[in-house]
Amino acid sequence: MVTSSKKSEPVPSANLNRRVERSRHAVLTTAFELLSEGGVASFSVDEVARRSGVAKTTIYRHWPTREALVIDACSRMIAEQETPDTGSLEGDVTAILMEIAHLLPTANWSFVLPSIVDTAERNPEFAEIHSRIQRGHAAPLREVLQRAVGRGELSAHADASTIVAALLGPLFYRRWFSREPIDDQFVKVIIKRVLSSL
């Protein structure tokens, strides 16, 4: 019997892949921190490199422009939100809005978003990321509204976009315009008014 002495083909190094992933994670985490501190206008790749410890050449190998890195970092704001299922429209909406109300004063994305909105007015790429962020915020509400239609709690002709705007709008107004507290009582009043109008 002849035994082949041919060596197996080399495979990509798992260590190299892990190192690349660690570098990417460090860069994106640092980039998002910088955005949280000063917004898009004061963001620089030099500062990302300094803080993260990742060389500028490595950063530019993964993100060819400053804008590409900012947009990728902003994508961290589009987190998957779990959609509650309490058995009723009011219960579902309350769970969603209470979570958003508790996040708005403290979550990093809440500090970054006004800068994204400002940049989106002049930059189509940022306009797209802004739209994706807003769709992400609205997605759980749209899902529970659709579920309510299936249960017969809500008319199939109800305008979901208007309902979502009526529910989220007051919270966003208080966070970025009037800067009044977004407490549980305020959230409950909004929910009651919107749902009673349906």
Side-chain angles (χ1 to χ4, degrees), residues 105-123:
T106 57
N108 281 345
W109 60 259
S110 180
F111 296 97
V112 178
L113 193 53
S115 177
I116 301 299
V117 173
D118 176 59
T119 309
E121 288 297 303
R122 295 172 294 281
N123 186 314

Side-chain angles (χ1 to χ4, degrees), residues 125-179:
E125 287 182 288
F126 279 87
E128 171 56 24
I129 197 75
H130 178 227
S131 294
R132 285 167 55 198
I133 291 166
Q134 292 307 103
R135 287 195 298 270
H137 286 151
L141 283 173
R142 287 183 175 277
E143 185 175 335
V144 301
L145 291 172
Q146 190 60 46
R147 192 188 297 151
V149 170
R151 287 195 301 251
E153 286 184 277
L154 188 64
S155 166
H157 301 294
D159 185 345
S161 293
T162 299
I163 298 169
V164 169
L167 289 167
L168 289 179
L171 275 63
F172 292 171
Y173 176 83
R174 280 205 168 188
R175 171 64 181 89
W176 291 300
F177 293 93
S178 72
R179 305 190 73 83

Side-chain angles (χ1 to χ4, degrees), residues 81 92-107 109-111 137 141 167-176 180-191:
Q81 291 177 268
D92 292 345
V93 169
T94 300
I96 292 168
L97 260 63
M98 285 297 185
E99 181 181 5
I100 292 174
H102 293 156
L103 287 172
L104 275 172
T106 57
W109 60 259
S110 180
F111 296 97
H137 286 151
L141 283 173
L167 289 167
L168 289 179
L171 275 63
F172 292 171
Y173 176 83
R174 280 205 168 188
R175 171 64 181 89
W176 291 300
E180 297 169 82
I182 310 171
D183 53 31
D184 290 359
Q185 185 57 36
F186 174 71
V187 176
K188 289 174 183 175
V189 168
I190 296 303
I191 294 168

Side-chain angles (χ1 to χ4, degrees), residues 72 74 159:
D72 204 2
C74 288
D159 185 345

